[in-house]
Amino acid sequence: MSEENNVKMEDAAELDAGRRDFLKFVCTSSAAALVVAPEAAEAVVKAADSADADTTVAEFFQGHFVLMSDEEKKQAIARLEKRYTAKFGKETTVSDVAAPDDVLFGYALDMSKCIGCRRCVHACVEENNQSREGTVIQWIQVMKIPKGNISFSADELEKGYPEKSQFGDYGVQVGGNAYHPAGMTTEGAQSYYQDETVPDKDFFYMPVQCQQCEKPPCVKACPVRATFRDHAGVVLIDYNWCIGCRMCQLACPYQARRFNWGEPQLPAEEMNPKTHYFGNRPRMKGVMEKCTFCVQRTREGRNPACLEACPVGARKFGNLLDPESDVRKVLETKRVFRFKEEFGTYPKFFYYIG
Ligand code: SF4
Ligand code: SF4
């Protein structure tokens, strides 16, 4: 079992102190109590009454997963597997397999191919155990944008992959030279279109999900570091450490984060029992979630579910550090752009015109 990184271990003491200070603040501040304490108190009270009270209370008080010892991780995972298996009536596994070394995950989407069918959205919901009713959660949102809003010519887009930058061989500039405005606006975009047939010839389609920013403002905004970037460049959340303050959601320029306002509704027969601690394990009321590039798949060398579901091959995924990967080939040969590049977030999600 290896350690989850990028919350550096030398930061451990600071993180621990930060959480304690924050919890002290929660206990003493009525304003903070309004957003956090009711759920927390309710969870503990409910847990005390339930059959698996020991499990749930232990889970409530567990530390940040990244900073746990191997033995603590083992116990935390065993608790979760027991609870999910009982709740959903199927043998559930919770992996904590670490991100591979020497990998920086990236994604590229061909906007000239996307037909707006939303198969990626539904595959993502199924794979990642998203709430189906009540608070309906979908990590991918497909925008339908009038063709007039797209003004870029091939010359305004860029291609190529920098061998080096002032930050080293890779870093915030990784993934091509797509730093200039693409000449596209999302004005008039519809996110909730209900067309019987797609594509509509007067529109193009732009699926948006977490852009796995190299400089993620959501990570900076989280007061307890429940959300962090792993060493493969994927921004993750420890759901058990999340306090539900929603600061990360406010900070994200891509509206990529989803909050569980209610208890997630996930029918047992539809639950995917092969889960990862930082990925698709069932979430709870009061916590944040978002796309993880299907961490439960991609850390094991598989493609994300959205890519496999796309009927037109609009999606490419891979290791940005490997010149032979599909995603690098796109960056080398196609004209690409980053969404909202003006925010300086350096997404590792690229759009291109094939
Ligand atoms: S897209 Fe939003 S949630 Fe994803 S890493 Fe960037 S700021 Fe964070
Ligand atoms: S599945 Fe492919 S074509 Fe359909 S909306 Fe998603 S990216 Fe576009």
Side-chain angles (χ1 to χ4, degrees):
M1 194 177 305
S2 58
E3 140 203 333
E4 191 64 40
N5 286 316
N6 262 64
V7 173
K8 294 189 196 116
M9 294 318 288
E10 59 260 36
D11 289 339
E14 192 190 333
L15 186 149
D16 197 31
R19 180 169 173 82
R20 277 202 310 278
D21 287 346
F22 185 83
L23 290 174
K24 196 159 69 183
F25 172 70
V26 168
C27 293
T28 54
S29 159
S30 56
L34 277 176
V35 292
V36 178
E39 270 88 29
E42 191 188 348
V44 173
V45 171
K46 270 194 193 151
D49 291 341
S50 70
D52 57 352
D54 288 349
T55 300
T56 316
V57 171
E59 210 182 291
F60 183 76
F61 287 109
Q62 76 185 33
H64 196 306
F65 195 82
V66 172
L67 302 176
M68 286 183 192
S69 67
D70 282 356
E71 186 51 35
E72 287 168 333
K73 286 180 181 173
K74 215 164 114 188
Q75 288 173 9
I77 282 181
R79 279 196 298 270
L80 289 171
E81 288 179 337
K82 183 178 159 200
R83 183 158 68 76
Y84 298 147
T85 299
K87 179 172 179 185
F88 295 98
K90 55 174 85 165
E91 198 62 38
T92 302
T93 56
V94 180
S95 162
D96 71 335
V97 67
D101 292 330
D102 303 323
V103 163
L104 200 61
F105 286 128
Y107 212 124
L109 194 144
D110 186 346
M111 283 178 58
S112 59
K113 278 192 175 162
C114 178
I115 55 171
C117 66
R118 290 202 184 107
R119 285 200 177 92
C120 51
V121 177
H122 301 298
C124 174
V125 167
E126 284 163 28
E127 168 69 25
N128 289 296
N129 288 324
Q130 286 152 29
S131 179
R132 315 291 209 266
E133 288 173 32
T135 304
V136 175
I137 290 197
Q138 295 179 343
W139 292 350
I140 305 175
Q141 189 172 55
V142 182
M143 289 195 293
K144 179 183 174 186
I145 305 177
K147 277 200 171 147
N149 288 27
I150 194 162
S151 65
F152 48 66
S153 66
D155 292 345
E156 287 169 313
L157 305 185
E158 297 186 321
K159 68 179 177 184
Y161 189 91
E163 284 305 311
K164 287 213 188 298
S165 77
Q166 58 177 304
F167 302 101
D169 289 346
Y170 59 90
V172 295
Q173 293 201 41
V174 73
N177 300 315
Y179 311 131
H180 297 299
M184 188 200 75
T185 87
T186 53
E187 208 174 306
Q190 303 166 34
S191 301
Y192 301 99
Y193 60 93
Q194 296 294 341
D195 302 347
E196 277 179 18
T197 57
V198 287
D200 184 327
K201 65 176 177 40
D202 296 325
F203 292 80
F204 64 91
Y205 298 89
M206 183 175 182
V208 178
Q209 57 210 76
C210 174
Q211 309 281 297
Q212 309 300 353
C213 307
E214 274 298 271
K215 293 177 83 175
C218 56
V219 168
K220 270 195 168 176
C222 179
V224 294
R225 300 197 195 177
T227 191
F228 62 96
R229 175 193 177 281
D230 76 5
H231 65 255
V234 177
V235 173
L236 301 169
I237 302 167
D238 182 343
Y239 308 119
N240 280 80
W241 198 250
C242 172
I243 57 170
C245 67
R246 298 191 291 125
M247 299 299 283
C248 57
Q249 195 174 33
L250 280 175
C252 171
Y254 303 96
Q255 279 119 45
R257 289 178 167 254
R258 308 284 182 266
F259 186 65
N260 286 283
W261 288 99
E263 198 57 48
Q265 301 297 310
L266 174 59
E269 63 278 12
E270 293 175 23
M271 186 256 187
N272 174 5
K274 191 171 177 346
T275 76
H276 191 285
Y277 185 90
F278 292 117
N280 60 340
R281 70 181 170 100
R283 279 74 68 190
M284 48 285 206
K285 179 180 174 182
V287 302
M288 196 60 70
E289 59 180 81
K290 66 164 196 70
C291 163
T292 67
F293 277 174
C294 281
V295 70
Q296 68 280 0
R297 289 168 154 252
T298 50
R299 283 190 178 188
E300 294 181 357
R302 299 172 65 202
N303 275 318
C306 51
L307 183 151
E308 287 185 0
C310 180
V312 292
R315 292 170 168 269
K316 306 285 179 211
F317 176 80
N319 179 6
L320 288 166
L321 306 182
D322 174 5
E324 296 306 311
S325 69
D326 285 353
V327 69
R328 268 293 288 275
K329 283 185 183 151
V330 168
L331 297 182
E332 303 282 5
T333 58
K334 306 289 184 188
R335 303 277 175 176
V336 302
F337 71 96
R338 284 166 150 144
F339 188 30
K340 300 187 181 179
E341 81 303 318
E342 69 272 21
F343 283 98
T345 51
Y346 298 95
K348 291 189 296 300
F349 198 107
F350 300 89
Y351 295 91
Y352 67 105
I353 307 297

